[in-house]
Each structure stands twice: as structure tokens, then as C-alpha cells.
Amino acid sequence: MVTTLGDLLDLELALAGGELTWRAGPLAKGPSLCHGTAGNAYAFLVLHGRTGDGLWLDRARAFAMHAVGQVERERAAVGRGRYSLFTGDIGVALFLRHLLDGESRFPTMGPFE
């Protein structure tokens, strides 16, 4: 919810959602955007954008590093990567690019300019 609607949510509710995401930790399901570590990390980028608080950027970075490790472990176990935006390594790469650029807009969630 915070990832896609964080700019519209009441700030207190958005912060509580971000804190819940942090406490739950990176997802065991995998690194992807769709129900994965990188997807959840966008919530931290949104909150950093809203508050300017470096804590949220630090948390996004921590999830990013965990997602990179998940990609590496999956590639080692399976012998190849996953090549889709929402369930694969490409989504993680896009998140890393957004993290470096300071972009918090989840892919396909607008605004479309």
C-alpha cells in the first residue's frame, strides 16, 4: 500500500505501514518487485521522499543489498536468472537504478507524462 499509494495516504498511516514493512523484514519469497524485497523497498523510497528522513533511505539501501544477495543466491541455485520485470532480476535492477537516482515511483504507477 505504501509503495503504490504512499503519496496519497495520511502520513501517520504511511509511516506505520513503512515501519511494519521494516519490522517484517525482507521477503523470503524472493527479490522481485511483485511481492518481493525490491517491491517492498519502494515503500521506503516513498517515505524518504515524503519526509526527507534519511532513516527511510537507509532502510531502502538495506533492502536493496538483501535483494541483490537474493538474486545472486537464486542464480547460483538455478544456474540462470529470471528475466521479467515484475518477478525477475530486471525489476531488482530497476529498483537499484531508482535508488541511485532518488526516484520513488513504482514502475507503471504513474504519473504518466
Side-chain angles (χ1 to χ4, degrees), residues 16-97:
E19 190 61 37
L20 179 64
T21 301
W22 176 253
R23 288 183 186 187
L27 294 173
K29 178 182 176 193
S32 67
L33 293 179
C34 182
H35 301 93
T37 302
N40 279 0
Y42 270 101
F44 305 138
L45 292 181
V46 168
L47 292 172
H48 177 258
R50 281 196 70 182
T51 67
D53 187 343
L55 170 73
W56 298 110
L57 187 57
D58 290 343
R59 289 178 172 184
R61 289 176 178 150
F63 267 47
M65 295 310 299
H66 190 85
V68 168
Q70 287 176 305
V71 167
E72 290 174 346
R73 286 187 296 278
E74 284 186 17
R75 282 178 171 246
V78 178
R80 61 174 173 75
R82 295 190 67 180
Y83 304 107
S84 74
L85 175 61
F86 288 105
T87 61
D89 305 347
I90 295 168
V92 176
L94 180 60
F95 169 73
L96 295 172
R97 185 68 216 186

